[in-house]
Amino acid sequence: MGRTLEITGRQQENGLDKGHEKGQEKGVEKGSDPENGDPVRKRGHETSELEAATHLFKGSVGAGLFAMGDCFKNGGLAGATILLPIIAVMCVHCERMLIRGSVLAVERTPGVDFLDYPETVEKCFEHGPRPLRKMSRIMKLVVEMFLCVTQFGFCAIYFVFITENLHQVLQQNGVDISMSMVMLITLLPAMIPSLMTNLKYISPVSLFANVALLFGLIATLTIAFSDGPMPSLGERHLFTGGAQLSLFFGTALFSYEGIALILPLRNSMRRPENFSTRFGVLNSTMFFTTALFIFTGFVSYVRWGEDVAGSITLNLVVEEVFSQVVKVVAALGVFLGYPIQFFVMMKILWPPLKRSNNCAQKYPITMQVCLRFVMVMMTFGVALVVPKLNLFISLIGALCSTCLAFVIPVLIDFVTRAPVPKGLGAWSYIKNILILTVAVLGIVTGTYQSIVEIVKEFK
């Protein structure tokens, strides 16, 4: 999700302001389907289907991919293999509802050619049923809050991921220092690029970060296959229940959380109508991502069983030099992604603070650097006190990712269909209520179980 800024950062500078200029009506493409044919004015740089799919894949695959072993441990070999595609289908459907809502909101908002996730929610409620229109501003703030909390969690998880991998390598090479000290050592390198206020200075590292993450995954799975015969499937749980399923749901949602990337990616395309067709960018990329998640989780759980860690790189034999290289490269890939993830959070926090604070208006650079410093220290502090990476991932996924991926899109669908005569048929009610039921169960049980497990770790 944090990689949204690779696309939106450039668009907001070069294209979004132009959308407010009058007389920019040419370049509008309309279609009969509000989901696939909508008024999208062309931007300075138009991405192809392959470029959009690459960006979507990069935005969907991150630290959650390395947690798939733990995800399968909590869901069971058969259970997780069945449930992950179901969750993926629900995510895709909700993302299509978000696209439809954004398209309708753009059509009803003169002079606007692009709306991001929070703005889409605000405009949909503004044009929704009259009793709900007063909630538009509140709903926008709610979405921004969830996005901020999610990005904050990503940043804190990155600290934990980097520290755990580096700590193993340092201990193996005779450097006997605590986990807290290793995390403190990583603070300064993470702090410096995060204080930069211009995305163009930090975005070039994103490509190298993705290459490093991909290398870490391929190398880890290669070691898993080459480390002797694989254990029998009978030695692993096929299904689980109760508390473990709650943790599975949170980890799975955390891994699939790329919904904030959907709208900017679609609007950056040369032919946005191809984004959500049957074999378009959205469906194809999610199919490949789900297959990769299942393969990684299945292999990891079969190889390491109940001992599989919150990141599968932690299961590598640290005495082997190649394993140490894999751990360092994977940690470096995550580390280089931290400033990008952090930039997303700041894009949400800084504008309202600047508007409401006279000091921020008078000294914008100084105040923004100070805010960045405080937020980096806060992510560091949270990472320092949360002892388990896998529990942190489950908590963020269950609480925030579920709301962004399921609850908000369903609300958008309700408020956009309600004013239309017969817009809410029986199927819409049944389908949306079913999604909300699953989401609420996931939020309540996943959040509760994650907090319980974290409290146990403190004891």
Side-chain angles (χ1 to χ4, degrees), residues 77-119:
L77 284 178
T81 303
I82 295 171
L83 290 175
L84 271 177
I86 294 176
I87 292 176
V89 170
M90 291 176 62
C91 286
V92 169
H93 180 72
C94 289
E95 287 163 353
R96 294 173 73 92
M97 289 195 292
L98 175 63
I99 292 173
R100 179 182 178 275
S102 181
V103 168
L104 293 175
V106 168
E107 289 178 345
R108 296 168 181 173
T109 309
V112 172
D113 63 344
F114 170 77
L115 293 173
D116 60 14
Y117 196 167
E119 292 169 344

Side-chain angles (χ1 to χ4, degrees), residues 189-204:
M191 176 75 74
I192 294 174
S194 299
L195 295 180
M196 297 179 183
T197 59
N198 196 323
L199 182 66
K200 69 179 181 181
Y201 297 126
I202 59 178
S203 58

Side-chain angles (χ1 to χ4, degrees), residues 290-333:
T290 303
L292 183 61
F293 282 169
I294 293 175
F295 180 75
T296 302
F298 196 96
V299 171
S300 302
Y301 180 49
V302 170
R303 166 55 68 190
W304 292 296
E306 299 304 309
D307 295 326
V308 67
S311 168
I312 57 176
T313 55
L314 298 175
N315 287 108
L316 302 181
V317 180
V318 72
E319 289 81 8
E320 298 179 1
V321 176
F322 182 63
S323 295
Q324 295 180 33
V325 172
V326 173
K327 291 172 183 287
V328 172
V329 172
L332 182 62

Side-chain angles (χ1 to χ4, degrees), residues 11 27-31 35-43 45-53 99 103 262-282:
Q11 288 177 339
V28 176
E29 295 178 359
K30 291 188 178 182
E35 184 178 51
N36 295 324
D38 62 295
V40 178
R41 294 170 177 84
K42 301 302 181 182
R43 310 303 175 93
H45 174 71
E46 300 167 359
T47 59
S48 65
E49 285 82 358
L50 179 60
E51 289 174 317
I99 292 173
V103 168
I262 297 300
L263 295 180
L265 265 179
R266 184 180 183 277
N267 284 274
S268 72
M269 287 180 61
R270 185 178 301 115
R271 289 175 294 185
E273 66 276 5
N274 291 341
F275 184 82
S276 50
T277 55
R278 179 175 298 179
F279 299 104
V281 171
L282 180 59

